[in-house]
Amino acid sequence: MAYNESDVKNDAPDAAQGLPPETRREEITGHVNKSRSCRVEELAEIFGVSAMTIHRDLEQLAKEGRVERIRGGARAITARLAERDVRLRRHLNAEVKRQLAATAAQLIERNSVIALDDSTTIGALGSYLEEREPSTVITHSLALMGAVSAMAHIDMVGLGGQYYAETDSFLGSIVVEQAQRLMADAVFVSTTAIKNQALLHPDAEAARTKRSLLQMGRRKILVMDSSKFESAGIYHVMDLAEIDDVVIDDQLDQRLMSELQGLGPRIHIVST
């Protein structure tokens, strides 16, 4: 028997029936993230569609990096898994990243030169660039290069070098050498870990590249969610005391927030 998107079970919850495919997939992603893992049969019951439709939904969501496909169902993308693949990281804590980016965008001055790193948190700033009207964007992120190149009134300087598919960006000595010849009014970066009052990263080339971007900026702006504090990291990027602004969500432990405030950056707290 063939199934299609309109296959609906009569005993399914009314609120979940009749959703457009993309809306249903968004709801499935949220349910999997909340439950950590779900079986096909459970999702078919909740959303009032056939198991075959759920199989197709999960295949599409896995292809987009929004869930991890497992035998008989799907499970949430974890931070450890996502760190290996930018395709996965773009969907991890996506709403928090959007909220952080919306606040960080307010720090972009009109006609300024800004530099953006290749993190998915900073990548979310791409949606706000046209309305904030910087004169120039400097970046080593291939995704941001593509986005900015379509913005007629914003100049772009792309930092090229060795391309890394895992980060969808250019990293290494060539990028560092190019960055050393440039200056920016503001640099926006994120990182995977904050510990011992320093920005850390698990990859040496990424840490070196982020450091070179930060050093070109008159104003250094860190954008990150609170879960990165006290996380593991190996390679030093920059001391927190050298950062001018920190954009962070409101879930940071009070002790850590007090330590951060003591270092002197302007702190912009995002209510999530």
Side-chain angles (χ1 to χ4, degrees), residues 51 137 162 175 187-188 200 204:
V137 172
Q162 177 68 46
V175 177
V187 177
F188 294 78
L200 304 173

Side-chain angles (χ1 to χ4, degrees), residues 31 48 50 56-57 124 126-127 135 174 185 192 208 215 228 233:
H31 187 78
S50 69
R56 286 197 296 266
D57 285 343
S127 301
S135 66
I174 299 177
D185 296 304
T192 59
R208 186 182 176 202
Q215 288 169 344
K228 305 297 177 62

Side-chain angles (χ1 to χ4, degrees), residues 2 26-27 34 74 86 98 107 133 153 157 174 182 212 222 246 264:
E26 288 284 350
E27 295 287 336
K34 183 177 180 180
V86 68
R98 186 197 65 76
L107 304 180
E133 298 183 327
H153 303 295
V157 177
I174 299 177
L182 299 169
S212 68
L222 173 66
V246 175

